Amino acid sequence: MADISFVRTEMLPEKTPPATSVGLIGWMRENLFSGWFNSILTVVSLGFIYYVLAGVLPWMFQSSWTANSLSQCREAISAAHGEGASGACWAVVRERYLQLIYGFYPDHLYWRPNIAFLLTLAALAPILFSALPRKMLWLAVVAPFAVPWLLWGGSAWLPLSAALGFVLGYGAFRGVSQLNGSLAAIIAGVAAPVLWWMLLAGPFAALVQSILPVGIEPVESRAFGGFMLSITIGVVAIVCSLPIGIVLALGRQSNLLIVRTLCIGFIEFVRGVPLITLLFVASTLLNIFMPPGTNFDIILRVMIMVTLFASAYMAEVIRGGLAALPKGQYEAADSLGLDYWKAQRLIIMPQALKISIPGIVSTFIGVFKDTTLVSIIGLLDPLGLSNAIRADANWNGIVWELYGFIALMFFIFCFSMSRYSMFLERKLQTGHR
Amino acid sequence: MTTFTDPHKESFRLSMLIYDTRYRSMTIQVVAMFGFMLMAAWLINNTIQNLNALGKPIDFGFFSEPASYDINQRLIEYNSRDSHLRASFVGLLNTLMVAAMGCALATVLGVVIGVLRLSGNWLVARIMTVYVETFRNVPVLLWIVFFMAMLIETLPAPNAFRGENATASMWLGDSVAVTNRGLYVPEPLFSRSLGDVSFFGAFNISLDLIAIVAVLAGGLYVSHRIKVRADRVQEATGIRPTTWYQRLGVVAVPVIVLLAGLGFHLGFPALKGFNFQGGIYMRNSLLALWLALSLYTAAFIAEIVRAGILAISRGQTEAAAALGLRPNRIMNLVILPQALRVIIPPLISQYLNLTKNSSLAIAVGYMDITGTLGGITMNQTGRELECVLLLMLVYLTISLSISLVMNWYNERVKLVER
């Protein structure tokens, strides 16, 4: 009798998976056509993409870069692409991009905002990327004095004498702390520079300037405009709002009733009103609140208001981070015997700030976007300039090209900020999952 | 022999105000209070001096003077002889209207986009990502003026609808006209109207509207009672009675009867002279503001919705499935109640942002409260201090009332933990 039982003794070679489940086809089956509903969605989406691209791409590329007015643009486009062809008139961007970037800043001085911008970047870089050499942090010390001087110009002694205030404060702090207790030292360290700035810094700078004039051509705030203005306001508000926001958040969390009430009142008030009303305050009311006769610069006033606005939002973001921290962290800090500020500096803040990074960065992005509102009170930011350009007889009626260019610039800035925040979150990720 | 005495009782010394933690907090508070009051006094003193120098002490009397400017989009009767107060009130109603419209549209769009961003369809998810990133990273003011330009530039002018060979035509069977001046939609009219009722002699509300809302509310209440009873029956017997036709009936039938009784019909817009007449007219400034605010906020709401759904761990779905719930009920009973707890607070703060952003109406000339009180009234009367302070107060009131609602809701849905 024949033995019909069969036992396989060797492995069969693996078969390749069916062609419909791997590679491009498999991916498409899984991600685009996994069911009738998904297939319909895919087809509709493809139709939508085609519709948008068919509308936008020809318009973008049937364009004119060389014309000097809108009518010339239209003639050039009709000549090149046939009668009735509509295309973008990028020539307006070519002609006006300098204005959109620098506003009415004198064109022989463009190097100054350029250097100021690079200096700001270089000063921020070591803070943003820890891989860079620590020596670059000195730039962050220099930049707050050098950048305003580069932008507004004038005597070089003014920023130097402002910086001297900090040196004086530090000196007073060190000197008094050796003689007397730490509290007196802190008071001296605060009072000395404040007195210096309020009373002596200006005359001192003027005196030195009259002896040894060093300076560059001053530029009025009125000449500021375009992205330079947006970036200036944005960077100042961003840099100043973080520390103020931290202080406000701590104040709001504090046990001291009056301090807490003041902080809550400030935060809720600022968050409850639109930024535009604060800008109205800057443009019409701030001079009324100041001693009679004071008249300080509109851009400075706007910066103050935007900074206050941003700090209230920042305070709420950081408060979220503080609240998300487990109570054990606070108690551990106490049980180690750390005092309030040491506990905040060494234990609470590093963790709370890390938790609130996404919120902090989205506040930054929001502030930078909100700088466009200054166009409503008459400053010439990119949007304000776009109205001015459209009022020009040559470019009357141009819309999409200008708005598109401005939107693209804002997109680049804001998008890179949000990507940076994701990078930072990944880098600081210490959790174990 | 030794005697034990009490440890030396420290008498109060002045330095304890600083170095003793028991008193230090008091010192800090007093200093803070003192500093604050000093600053406030300084500011108020400056203000009074400046106002005296300018010769215009604080005075709200200008509110009763005639405004003498027109408001072309309004919810209540207004003409240029009315007072500044009434003009501001018209503006406030306009603010609330665009905010409410914007919140509604933004929520619908945001939820749809947020869900589609999580879709398994790669292409759809990518498109929605592009949408969200585009709208979030460009300033809302730019979107507002962009939409305004789009409405003006691409839509036909009213005279394009005229004549034999009109280049444009109305939509939906000659009922909706989309022009570059705005949108005309049919208006509800009542041939046997109940008339208006006047509130404080200031503005009129149509009694028809009140009647319809009252009947609708009554119907909804009865419908809710039916649901409650059905729930009870289900609890008791395990069988849920079919109630959808009852519930639909008690809501729809009375309203339909009332509408028929009032002689409800639609008034269609028609081209007369240079422009459309009749129907409800939404100016292009309102449309641009509404669309821009909604689309912009929808991008943020989409992210909130997505985060809310992702925040519910898969274990919840699996556990519910293990209990034998159907997918529908898993969504309704397990996922949504938990996701909503995550979604609602940031959602309401987006509503707040939208309301505050509606103040940008001034850029396209929509007369909201910023355009009336903070715009023309302020410029005409020169009363900056009064106008800006009142403007802030109005927005503050709106924001704080929304926050109150949010806090109440948060308390209600808060997880009760150990």
Side-chain angles (χ1 to χ4, degrees):
Chain A
M1 206 157 168
D3 186 10
I4 56 166
S5 69
F6 170 76
V7 176
R8 187 181 293 285
T9 52
E10 78 285 7
M11 276 299 258
L12 281 179
E14 277 180 14
K15 272 196 176 171
T16 51
T20 51
S21 66
V22 287
L24 187 63
I25 298 174
W27 181 86
M28 279 170 62
R29 273 175 68 108
E30 192 175 330
N31 290 304
L32 297 179
F33 301 101
S34 60
W36 61 269
F37 183 69
N38 254 346
S39 307
I40 292 175
L41 273 184
T42 306
V43 172
V44 170
S45 311
L46 283 175
F48 173 76
I49 293 174
Y50 173 77
Y51 176 78
V52 170
L53 291 185
V56 171
L57 284 185
W59 177 81
M60 275 178 83
F61 291 108
Q62 292 180 3
S63 56
S64 162
W65 281 93
T66 51
N68 290 317
S69 73
L70 187 58
S71 48
Q72 277 187 21
C73 245
R74 294 205 170 126
E75 279 165 27
I77 291 167
S78 321
H81 304 285
E83 202 60 40
S86 73
C89 184
W90 298 117
V92 67
V93 176
R94 173 193 55 81
E95 191 184 289
R96 298 299 184 107
Y97 77 97
L98 283 175
Q99 201 183 28
L100 281 171
I101 293 173
Y102 299 103
F104 294 103
Y105 209 82
D107 50 4
H108 62 285
L109 297 178
Y110 280 167
W111 60 273
R112 272 162 45 180
N114 289 345
I115 291 182
F117 183 64
L118 291 179
L119 188 58
T120 311
L121 282 188
L124 287 176
I127 300 171
L128 298 181
F129 299 101
S130 54
L132 292 170
R134 295 292 87 193
K135 277 195 180 142
M136 279 177 80
L137 279 172
W138 282 105
L139 284 174
V141 177
V142 174
F145 305 100
V147 166
W149 178 63
L150 280 170
L151 290 180
W152 275 275
S155 156
W157 297 110
L158 210 58
L160 277 179
S161 93
L164 203 58
F166 285 101
V167 178
L168 269 179
Y170 183 70
F173 177 77
R174 290 302 293 270
V176 177
S177 67
Q178 279 164 8
L179 295 175
N180 207 326
S182 63
L183 187 88
I186 291 173
I187 292 174
V190 173
V194 168
L195 285 177
W196 167 257
W197 287 321
M198 286 175 71
L199 302 175
L200 295 172
F204 171 77
L207 181 73
V208 184
Q209 175 74 6
S210 65
I211 299 168
L212 183 70
V214 180
I216 49 180
E217 191 179 328
V219 178
E220 295 238 357
S221 290
R222 246 178 306 148
F224 280 47
F227 280 100
M228 195 187 97
L229 180 67
S230 296
I231 294 173
T232 313
I233 297 176
V235 167
V236 169
I238 286 171
V239 169
C240 298
S241 68
L242 190 60
I244 301 179
I246 292 176
V247 171
L248 282 173
L250 289 179
R252 193 171 180 166
Q253 295 283 64
S254 135
N255 295 324
L256 311 177
L257 180 72
I258 294 175
V259 174
R260 191 172 66 221
T261 317
L262 288 178
C263 288
I264 291 180
F266 176 82
I267 292 171
E268 291 301 328
F269 171 74
V270 171
R271 274 163 35 98
V273 299
L275 177 58
I276 186 74
T277 59
L278 292 177
L279 292 179
F280 281 156
V281 170
S283 73
T284 62
L285 292 187
L286 216 51
N287 276 340
I288 296 184
F289 293 148
M290 290 293 125
T294 7
N295 187 11
F296 62 104
D297 194 75
I298 177 73
I299 293 186
L300 189 60
R301 284 184 268 162
V302 165
M303 278 176 186
I304 293 175
M305 280 309 180
V306 177
T307 305
L308 291 183
F309 180 77
S311 11
Y313 281 83
M314 197 61 76
E316 282 302 273
V317 169
I318 292 166
R319 185 171 74 112
L322 288 173
L325 216 55
K327 213 169 156 44
Q329 297 290 329
Y330 292 88
E331 290 163 355
D334 284 346
S335 68
L336 284 176
L338 298 178
D339 70 15
Y340 180 78
W341 292 108
K342 277 210 180 101
Q344 292 295 342
R345 188 162 57 85
L346 298 173
I347 294 186
I348 309 298
M349 269 303 149
Q351 301 183 69
L353 288 181
K354 193 181 88 183
I355 298 174
S356 29
I357 285 174
I360 291 175
V361 175
S362 65
T363 311
F364 285 168
I365 294 177
V367 170
F368 186 59
K369 286 189 296 180
D370 281 345
T371 57
T372 51
L373 265 62
V374 300
S375 66
I376 292 181
I377 58 165
L379 294 187
L380 291 174
D381 84 315
L383 268 185
L385 276 172
S386 80
N387 291 334
I389 293 173
R390 284 160 62 196
D392 183 335
N394 282 338
W395 300 112
N396 196 349
I398 201 146
V399 181
W400 316 115
E401 294 83 353
L402 280 177
Y403 288 159
F405 176 70
I406 298 169
L408 181 70
M409 295 289 277
F410 270 104
F411 183 85
I412 291 171
F413 277 110
C414 298
F415 192 69
S416 38
M417 271 197 259
S418 74
R419 290 296 117 161
Y420 172 75
S421 108
M422 287 161 104
F423 155 80
L424 199 59
E425 267 176 83
R426 266 199 311 279
K427 202 185 77 173
L428 296 180
Q429 179 79 47
T430 49
H432 308 283
R433 280 185 161 247
Chain B
M1 174 148 174
T2 54
T3 54
F4 292 96
T5 52
D6 279 342
H8 173 62
K9 188 110 193 281
E10 258 189 296
S11 62
F12 180 77
R13 281 176 286 110
L14 212 56
S15 64
M16 282 167 71
L17 281 179
I18 293 168
Y19 295 112
D20 191 322
T21 45
R22 283 171 298 176
Y23 302 110
R24 184 161 53 190
S25 63
M26 201 60 85
T27 318
I28 294 175
Q29 301 210 55
V30 169
V31 168
M33 190 72 207
F34 191 68
F36 173 72
M37 281 161 74
L38 210 63
M39 205 176 87
W42 184 69
L43 287 177
I44 291 172
N45 181 36
N46 286 337
T47 310
I48 291 172
Q49 278 187 17
N50 280 314
L51 287 180
N52 281 340
L54 289 170
K56 43 178 187 185
I58 295 180
D59 175 17
F60 289 93
F62 68 93
F63 266 122
S64 52
E65 290 163 17
S68 60
Y69 60 88
D70 256 330
I71 299 178
N72 40 34
Q73 177 89 52
R74 54 181 183 248
L75 286 174
I76 59 173
E77 276 309 305
Y78 170 83
N79 64 52
S80 58
R81 286 186 307 281
D82 282 324
S83 65
H84 281 296
L85 184 64
R86 194 174 174 86
S88 308
F89 188 67
V90 174
L92 174 62
L93 287 182
N94 277 348
T95 293
L96 294 178
M97 175 174 76
V98 78
M101 287 164 60
C103 289
L105 185 58
T107 312
V108 173
L109 285 176
V111 170
V112 170
I113 292 164
V115 170
L116 283 183
R117 238 195 121 172
L118 290 172
S119 147
N121 189 317
W122 183 85
L123 201 58
V124 171
R126 283 308 115 100
I127 291 178
M128 292 308 151
T129 310
V130 170
Y131 171 89
V132 168
E133 293 296 348
T134 316
F135 271 86
R136 280 203 312 176
N137 287 315
V138 174
V140 63
L141 184 59
L142 189 59
W143 285 120
I144 293 174
V145 292
F146 184 84
F147 274 93
M148 187 68 182
M150 199 155 83
L151 293 183
I152 292 177
E153 300 279 326
T154 61
L155 293 178
N159 62 15
F161 291 82
R162 182 192 309 285
E164 291 299 309
N165 46 3
T167 49
S169 59
M170 293 167 73
W171 295 1
L172 301 177
D174 275 1
S175 62
V176 176
V178 185
T179 76
N180 64 358
R181 292 192 196 173
L183 178 71
Y184 296 83
V185 294
E187 60 181 333
L189 293 174
F190 303 96
S191 52
R192 288 181 291 277
S193 174
L194 297 173
D196 293 340
V197 58
S198 171
F199 274 81
F200 316 118
F203 55 94
N204 299 325
I205 292 184
S206 154
L207 268 179
D208 309 319
L209 185 67
I210 296 177
I212 293 171
V213 170
V215 169
L216 198 61
L220 286 176
Y221 177 72
V222 176
S223 158
H224 177 71
R225 297 301 313 171
I226 294 175
K227 174 183 178 285
V228 170
R229 175 172 305 160
D231 285 347
R232 215 177 293 141
V233 171
Q234 187 182 17
E235 294 273 317
T237 64
I239 300 162
R240 192 176 181 84
T242 318
T243 55
W244 65 266
Y245 56 89
Q246 293 171 2
R247 295 184 65 187
L248 190 67
V250 295
V251 175
V253 171
V255 172
I256 292 171
V257 169
L258 180 72
L259 286 178
L262 291 173
F264 173 80
H265 61 278
L266 289 173
F268 292 102
L271 193 60
K272 285 191 190 119
F274 291 108
N275 217 333
F276 281 91
Q277 303 287 329
I280 296 174
Y281 173 36
M282 294 162 78
R283 294 186 69 83
N284 50 12
S285 52
L286 169 63
L287 285 179
L289 188 67
W290 180 36
L291 289 177
L293 288 178
S294 308
L295 291 174
Y296 178 79
T297 313
F300 290 86
I301 293 181
E303 285 299 271
I304 292 170
V305 169
R306 188 173 77 110
I309 294 175
L310 287 179
I312 309 303
S313 69
R314 272 194 83 76
Q316 296 286 329
T317 321
E318 287 160 2
L323 287 177
L325 292 178
R326 279 175 283 134
N328 224 342
R329 310 217 96 194
I330 294 179
M331 199 60 182
N332 284 336
L333 298 175
V334 178
I335 306 295
L336 269 188
Q338 300 185 67
L340 278 184
R341 187 177 290 133
V342 183
I343 290 172
I344 299 266
L347 183 69
I348 293 186
S349 102
Q350 285 304 323
Y351 289 166
L352 263 174
N353 281 344
L354 191 148
T355 311
K356 283 183 285 176
N357 282 338
S358 74
S359 59
L360 299 179
I362 200 169
V364 286
Y366 174 70
M367 298 296 272
D368 71 334
I369 181 95
T370 315
T372 54
L373 179 62
I376 303 182
T377 292
M378 181 168 89
N379 292 334
Q380 275 189 2
T381 60
R383 298 269 167 197
E384 293 95 359
L385 187 67
E386 293 89 338
C387 287
V388 171
L389 286 186
L390 264 183
L391 188 61
M392 286 180 154
L393 198 67
V394 167
Y395 277 110
L396 209 54
T397 314
I398 299 176
S399 302
L400 290 184
S401 358
I402 298 182
S403 306
L404 272 185
V405 174
M406 175 167 85
N407 289 344
W408 170 79
Y409 177 86
N410 270 347
E411 277 306 307
R412 235 191 59 161
V413 302
K414 199 161 68 177
L415 267 187
V416 184
E417 291 185 60
R418 288 171 287 132

